[in-house]
Amino acid sequence: MKSYNLTHLKELEAEAIYVLREVAAQFENPALLFSGGKDSIVVSHLARKAFFPARIPFPLVHIDTGHNFPETIEFRDRYVEKIGAKLIVGSVQQSIDEGKVVEEKGFNASRNALQTVTLLDTIETHKFDACIGGARRDEEKARAKERFFSHRDEFGQWDPKNQRPELWNLYNGRHQMGENFRVFPISNWTEMDIWQYILAEGIELPSLYFAHEREIFMRDGVPLAAVDVIPRRDTEVVEKKVVRFRTIGDMTCTGAVFSPADSLEGIIEEVASSRVTERGTRADDKRSEAAMEDRKKQGYF
């Protein structure tokens, strides 16, 4: 009798697809948070598999800071058209124009934290009762506390000490009017799992992930993109270097890494030997020891 064994990637895929189908079964109006980064691209790829041959039965939601990399926006629009999904865009610039948030000033100003208000407004406007995200437990310690089905109160806030038990694969999505859930189908994946899965499935990614020549300048030991939305000090010199990005977020807080890796195989080799964490170049995580957890309690991704 032929034995049947799943590889670890197929086990993770099966778990994620199960979670996605649970969302479709338990919630009336879910959405998939899509940043144009590798994790949300993998989640959308898994969603396509989960509901094939039908299209993804919920919209993709992108919170646009207005300071996203142009390559991310170009990829987002092309990808959404390719898979035939519905795209909803929440605009941080609109939140600023409406006076709901105040833009930071100074050399280290960022719109990253302002996304929370725009995200909660978008959830409220469209009455989403579940938002599927691409967060993983190995990314950051606050994200390690998230359940697969992570409850948010009527204000969109997260209380890590007030979550429901998840026994085996039993997920409880019951909620009161105004409450919602964040759901993380790839919680158990590591960065290496993501890259190996992307290679195995032939998933397309934004060019930012691969080594390319770019104008950068150094700040606090991190190469930042030399773009108009990041003011520079007189001592910060712009130069052309070959870099790539391990994460993709707002340009003002997302640093690059010096790397020759211009292929998936090269990236996997680099990640395997890296001594720097995946989010080690993210300025938004360095504002305080509990920066991510504080943002998440307020309703961040």
Side-chain angles (χ1 to χ4, degrees):
M1 181 177 176
K2 186 177 180 180
S3 63
Y4 178 73
N5 296 311
L6 291 178
T7 65
H8 82 285
L9 287 180
K10 285 298 180 184
E11 284 192 17
L12 291 170
E13 178 189 71
E15 179 183 65
I17 287 175
Y18 175 79
V19 172
L20 286 162
R21 288 173 176 166
E22 279 292 294
V23 173
Q26 295 196 33
F27 296 95
E28 294 183 0
N29 190 25
L32 193 159
L33 301 177
F34 186 82
S35 67
K38 64 184 185 308
D39 299 313
S40 60
I41 292 170
V42 165
V43 173
S44 65
H45 179 83
L46 291 163
R48 294 176 70 189
K49 281 196 166 189
F51 303 105
F52 183 82
R55 293 181 179 179
I56 299 175
F58 29 75
L60 272 54
V61 174
H62 181 226
I63 303 303
D64 186 356
T65 67
H67 291 169
N68 292 107
F69 288 97
E71 293 94 330
T72 305
I73 301 301
E74 183 275 331
F75 179 89
R76 178 200 71 185
D77 294 341
R78 182 162 48 83
Y79 182 75
V80 167
E81 182 177 358
K82 174 185 172 183
I83 67 174
K86 178 182 178 183
L87 175 67
I88 294 173
V89 178
S91 169
V92 172
Q93 183 62 56
Q94 183 177 336
S95 298
I96 294 171
D97 294 342
E98 292 174 351
K100 294 179 177 177
V101 293
V102 178
E103 190 158 22
E104 297 178 352
K105 305 294 182 186
F107 288 105
N108 294 313
S110 174
R111 290 184 172 182
N112 191 58
L114 307 185
Q115 295 180 89
T116 300
V117 172
T118 309
L119 172 61
L120 295 181
D121 275 354
T122 304
I123 292 173
E124 173 64 23
T125 299
H126 295 276
K127 308 297 181 190
F128 294 129
D129 53 2
C131 290
I132 303 163
R136 294 177 283 108
R137 290 189 173 119
D138 81 320
E139 285 183 86
E140 202 276 338
K141 53 184 178 293
R143 288 185 167 171
K145 298 178 182 178
E146 293 275 19
R147 306 295 174 93
F148 277 96
F149 278 29
S150 204
H151 178 263
R152 298 297 192 271
D153 67 17
E154 64 271 31
F155 302 106
Q157 297 175 328
W158 174 59
D159 181 357
K161 297 180 180 178
N162 186 25
Q163 297 295 318
R164 296 166 184 182
E166 292 186 340
L167 304 176
W168 301 285
N169 57 357
L170 301 176
Y171 305 119
N172 182 354
R174 295 186 65 180
H175 58 280
Q176 302 296 321
M177 178 71 74
E179 298 176 344
N180 61 79
F181 275 77
R182 302 291 173 84
V183 181
F184 304 103
I186 59 170
S187 269
N188 285 339
W189 297 46
T190 66
E191 182 188 14
M192 180 60 80
D193 295 330
I194 289 291
W195 284 114
Q196 289 178 336
Y197 187 73
I198 288 170
L199 176 63
E201 294 288 307
I203 298 172
E204 185 183 4
L205 293 178
S207 58
L208 289 165
Y209 281 114
F210 302 95
H212 57 285
E213 189 176 70
R214 192 178 200 94
E215 287 193 336
I216 60 99
F217 67 97
M218 299 300 295
R219 178 174 292 173
D220 299 328
V222 175
L224 292 176
V227 291
D228 293 340
V229 297
I230 309 178
R232 292 188 295 277
R233 299 180 176 90
D234 294 338
T235 55
E236 293 173 330
V237 180
V238 175
E239 52 189 342
K240 283 190 175 181
K241 294 288 184 181
V242 175
V243 298
R244 73 176 193 87
F245 292 84
R246 286 179 73 178
T247 65
I248 291 181
D250 188 276
M251 286 190 290
T252 58
C253 63
T254 304
V257 292
F258 296 112
S259 167
D262 58 0
S263 66
L264 291 173
E265 292 83 355
I267 291 173
I268 289 172
E269 185 177 343
E270 182 180 273
V271 170
S273 60
S274 177
R275 303 291 296 172
V276 180
T277 63
E278 181 180 1
R279 294 182 68 92
T281 59
R282 292 291 294 257
D284 48 334
D285 289 354
K286 296 180 179 178
R287 291 196 169 193
S288 74
E289 180 66 22
M292 174 66 84
E293 182 154 337
D294 291 341
R295 293 202 304 274
K296 288 179 75 67
K297 285 179 178 176
Q298 296 167 2
Y300 190 73
F301 299 92

